Amino acid sequence: MIALTACKGEKPDADREPPQKPSAKSTPKATAEDSPTQAPPPAEPAGPRYLRPNSKGVLVDAFQFPSVPASIVEQQVAAASSRSDVVGILRRFGLGPLDGHTGHVWIGKASLVDRLARERVLVASFRNEPGSDGLHDESSWIVFLGSTEDDRVLKIGNAKITTKTADEIEVDARELHSRDFDDLIATWSSCAKPMQKACHSLRAWTMQRGYPELIVDVTGDTKPVISGGVYPPHEVVVDGRSLKFDSQAFAYK
């Protein structure tokens, strides 16, 4: 799960503590004293760990792009106290400011390509004051960050969500379509009336292939629910429909 590192803004929000999972541990290496039947440690992927589109839209090894020490980004997030601070963090990753009067930002570790929590997710949100219907305009950037061996981070991709909501966009990393890594899931509600239709949304991205891909994007009259057995792939249930992950389409259908 995402380990929340910081969340600050002009108007502090209530702390958000996502459910915690035991930290992932690397597989121990075999030794001469080990049993001959012991399984060897998993091999590193043969191809690039992260991919990113170049100027021509071709996916290339993301390590060809600039990186920044993770500690610098984390310190900037922890010190952010104004909208301009949040905007400055976004500009570091080539993203422009969003509309809104207040801004808050947080960063956390995630296991998006394996179970080792070597990725980071940066979320920056801007929102106006609520209107007469109790909803405020909210725009959020979700930035997917890969890591290097010397603890630097580089942008792999990003997603933008713009909506009206009474609360805020919730972002979480958890198992969805595979038990080998987490997917990133965003949920929100834009309901202004109790019986309003088509106002509950869920989107999810995976980095299974080394770059962010949208695999779920649903809106329903009722809140979408992630269900299924003990182990993934889990189903997404919305308005009585059960969506399952289709490996051929690489999306939920």
Side-chain angles (χ1 to χ4, degrees), residues 159-213:
K160 180 182 178 183
I161 298 174
T162 299
T163 186
K164 285 182 175 290
T165 179
D167 300 311
E168 60 185 73
I169 299 171
E170 295 287 343
V171 180
D172 192 15
R174 56 179 288 191
E175 293 178 353
L176 180 59
H177 88 281
S178 173
R179 63 185 299 182
D180 296 328
F181 40 77
D182 292 331
D183 294 324
L184 198 69
I185 304 169
T187 56
W188 67 93
S189 173
S190 56
C191 304
K193 301 177 182 179
M195 300 302 293
Q196 186 174 343
K197 302 292 185 180
C199 57
H200 298 279
S201 300
L202 181 151
R203 289 182 192 170
W205 295 262
T206 181
M207 278 188 55
Q208 177 179 353
R209 298 196 284 197
Y211 60 98
E213 297 180 88

Side-chain angles (χ1 to χ4, degrees), residues 31-223:
T31 64
E33 291 76 17
D34 289 334
S35 167
T37 60
Q38 182 175 347
E44 288 290 329
R49 180 177 180 80
Y50 307 119
L51 298 173
R52 179 173 162 182
N54 62 12
S55 59
K56 297 181 179 179
V58 178
L59 290 171
V60 299
D61 190 336
F63 288 114
Q64 298 179 14
F65 295 85
S67 62
V68 60
S71 59
I72 290 181
V73 180
E74 291 166 351
Q75 290 168 9
Q76 289 180 326
V77 169
S81 60
S82 67
R83 182 179 185 277
S84 60
D85 292 339
V86 179
V87 169
I89 295 171
L90 286 178
R91 284 178 174 161
R92 175 180 289 281
F93 295 103
L95 301 174
L98 298 173
D99 295 332
H101 296 307
T102 62
H104 74 273
V105 62
W106 59 266
I107 189 171
K109 289 186 177 181
S111 296
L112 301 180
V113 298
D114 52 29
R115 296 254 57 98
L116 300 180
R118 291 189 286 186
E119 288 69 57
R120 288 174 175 82
V121 178
L122 175 71
V123 180
S125 297
F126 298 89
R127 54 184 178 271
N128 296 321
E129 294 298 324
S132 59
D133 57 1
L135 302 179
H136 56 243
D137 296 317
E138 178 167 348
S139 294
S140 295
W141 279 117
I142 301 174
V143 187
F144 299 81
L145 301 174
S147 67
T148 64
E149 291 184 357
D150 55 350
D151 204 27
R152 298 174 68 89
V153 293
L154 64 160
K155 188 182 80 170
I156 306 301
N158 58 262
K160 180 182 178 183
I161 298 174
T162 299
T163 186
K164 285 182 175 290
T165 179
D167 300 311
E168 60 185 73
I169 299 171
E170 295 287 343
V171 180
D172 192 15
R174 56 179 288 191
E175 293 178 353
L176 180 59
H177 88 281
S178 173
R179 63 185 299 182
D180 296 328
F181 40 77
D182 292 331
D183 294 324
L184 198 69
I185 304 169
T187 56
W188 67 93
S189 173
S190 56
C191 304
K193 301 177 182 179
M195 300 302 293
Q196 186 174 343
K197 302 292 185 180
C199 57
H200 298 279
S201 300
L202 181 151
R203 289 182 192 170
W205 295 262
T206 181
M207 278 188 55
Q208 177 179 353
R209 298 196 284 197
Y211 60 98
E213 297 180 88
L214 185 66
I215 56 174
V216 184
D217 186 0
V218 295
T219 300
D221 299 340
T222 58
K223 184 178 180 180

